[in-house]
Amino acid sequence: MIDHNNGAAAFHSHVFLGEGHETSERKTWAVISLCAIMMVAEIVGGLMFGSIALVADGLHMSTHAGALLLAAFAYTYARKHANNPAFTFGTGKLGDLAGFTSAIVLAMIALLIGYESVTRIFDPVPIHFAEAIPIACLGLAVNVTSAWLLSGGAHDHTHGHGHGHSHAHAHDGHDHDEQHEIATPDGPLTLEIFEDGVPPRFRLRAAGGSALTAQASSIETLRADGTRQSFALQDRGGFLESIDEIPEPHAFLATLQLGERNYQVSFEEHEHADGSAARDNNMRAAVIHVIADAAVSVLVIVGLSLARAFGWLWMDPLAGIIGACVIASWSYGLIRDTGAILLDMNPDKGMADRLRKAVEAEGDTLADLHLWRLGPGHLGAILSVVTRSAHDADYYRARLARFKSLSHLTIEVSHRS
């Protein structure tokens, strides 16, 4: 018997845009405006004052603005067509497509700079230091300003979800309500789930390092399915720690017994996409364009200054070669990451492993799993579960509810006797 997931999730949103999408869109357009103003000022100024170098830098600024236009159009198009049913899995990948295209452009720029630099080593050209150095400084100032405007949108929007409570961030992609303060007649206590490089266990601490009595303390957990488990505590010198490990998931009602008094705290667990699965590659590409240009400007300033001071004309093309290598490296990383997303490669192997453990925790078998990225912080998954129980797709959907980044989940259940 095959039980397909076609119930509660039959109708749901296919908007898989990253957090801060509109903010990033506005920032990108702002930087484009800045580049356009500088471009016009340099070209007009160069024509008025007869500086071909200034005109050339203005034209270079136009290519910079063009690359950013690609990112801005991707943001705008993805937002306007987010609810278009023609996009089966939404428009969240448009940013990755734009990032991939920008990476190709960056690679071509690196090749062009490298070729021109090598050519100038064997066939040097006169350098007008009085014009070239100030223009390079002006370009650096524009790029630093652009990077400052864009910087806020380049961060991973992984844990910005509002859950109505505070939580700590673990390194494995989990979000736990790991620490709870408990008010007692003898002063506040802190109960936490500690798992920093060790198996997860309860830890109980008293404010100010006051002594706790392990013999009079224990913890009982109650899970949503009615399962109860007791944890004895032992003295670890400064805090009490549970002897037994805490099984996954860490979502339950915990009752702390201290002598004749009981205190209840609720632990919840959420898991979000981490690292590359949550990164906004469209903004990343825009930032790389700006930083690459800034890096080249710095190298040019250094190369020109040394060439002017010591007559080392070869320093200018050498700076160009170094800049080309740096840009090529950044381009390769962006092509690798965005290409993997466009080809629907597994974006988070750690989450895939945790999905398998969650499904197979009660003896069921995860026969097939497809996990891919729909947009920044949004993952899609198709699971095929083989079970001997009477559980249906909704049961497994409830078990996987803590994986908040699974924005599109399809479950197939095969019942075996």
Side-chain angles (χ1 to χ4, degrees), residues 2 37 54 65 72-73 75 86 107 129 145 225 318 356 382 401 411:
I2 303 294
I37 292 171
L54 203 56
F73 280 134
Y75 277 126
F129 297 105
T145 303
D225 60 2
L318 177 60
R356 181 174 298 278
I382 299 175
I411 302 175

Side-chain angles (χ1 to χ4, degrees), residues 200 230 317 407 413:
S230 295
S407 302
V413 181

Side-chain angles (χ1 to χ4, degrees), residues 61-349:
M61 189 66 70
S62 70
T63 63
H64 186 54
L68 291 172
L69 270 173
L70 180 62
F73 280 134
Y75 277 126
T76 302
Y77 189 90
R79 174 176 54 80
K80 289 184 175 180
H81 294 269
N83 291 297
N84 188 337
F87 294 93
T88 306
F89 287 107
T91 57
K93 281 188 178 181
L94 274 171
D96 300 302
L97 179 59
F100 182 84
T101 307
S102 290
I104 298 296
V105 173
L106 276 171
M108 294 174 65
I109 290 173
L111 288 173
L112 182 61
I113 294 174
Y115 172 78
E116 184 68 20
S117 299
V118 171
T119 300
R120 290 197 177 192
I121 289 179
F122 296 101
D123 186 18
V125 298
I127 300 175
H128 302 282
F129 297 105
E131 291 180 347
I133 293 177
I135 290 173
C137 291
L138 178 62
L140 176 60
V142 172
N143 288 316
V144 169
T145 303
S146 299
W148 177 76
L149 288 172
L150 293 173
S151 60
H155 298 155
D156 293 342
H157 301 290
T158 310
H159 301 298
H161 308 287
H163 301 302
H165 54 254
S166 61
H167 52 257
H169 304 297
H171 301 293
D172 59 356
H174 295 262
D175 284 348
H176 304 289
D177 275 354
E178 289 193 321
Q179 293 189 352
H180 291 270
E181 187 172 291
I182 303 172
T184 73
D186 298 322
L189 303 177
T190 299
L191 179 63
E192 66 174 336
I193 297 176
F194 185 83
E195 53 178 327
D196 189 4
V198 296
R201 288 184 170 85
F202 287 111
R203 284 189 177 182
L204 183 66
R205 301 177 184 273
S210 302
L212 291 169
T213 305
Q215 290 77 10
S217 306
S218 64
I219 297 172
E220 183 182 69
T221 60
L222 174 62
R223 298 181 181 271
D225 60 2
T227 303
R228 294 179 180 270
Q229 184 176 0
S230 295
F231 295 84
L233 303 178
Q234 59 184 342
D235 192 347
R236 287 293 191 181
F239 61 89
L240 302 183
E241 184 177 78
S242 61
I243 299 174
D244 297 326
E245 299 176 16
I246 307 171
E248 296 278 1
H250 300 162
F252 41 70
L253 180 67
T255 301
L256 171 65
Q257 182 176 353
L258 291 176
E260 298 179 355
R261 293 187 176 90
N262 292 331
Y263 303 91
Q264 290 187 336
V265 293
S266 178
F267 285 86
E268 297 181 11
E269 181 176 63
H270 307 295
E271 298 202 26
H272 299 286
D274 200 12
S276 61
R279 183 182 295 128
D280 183 348
N281 284 311
N282 194 24
M283 178 56 69
R284 178 186 173 195
V287 171
I288 286 179
H289 269 285
V290 171
I291 294 177
D293 221 20
V296 171
S297 295
V298 171
L299 289 169
V300 166
I301 292 170
V302 173
L304 289 174
S305 299
L306 291 175
R308 184 178 191 179
F310 302 103
W312 298 343
L313 298 182
W314 50 268
M315 278 299 302
D316 182 53
L318 177 60
I321 292 173
I322 295 173
C325 292
V326 171
I327 295 174
S329 175
W330 290 340
S331 172
Y332 170 76
L334 193 55
I335 289 174
R336 178 195 61 210
D337 295 343
T338 54
I341 292 170
L342 295 175
L343 291 173
D344 290 331
M345 292 180 66
N346 186 341
D348 193 335
K349 293 182 179 179

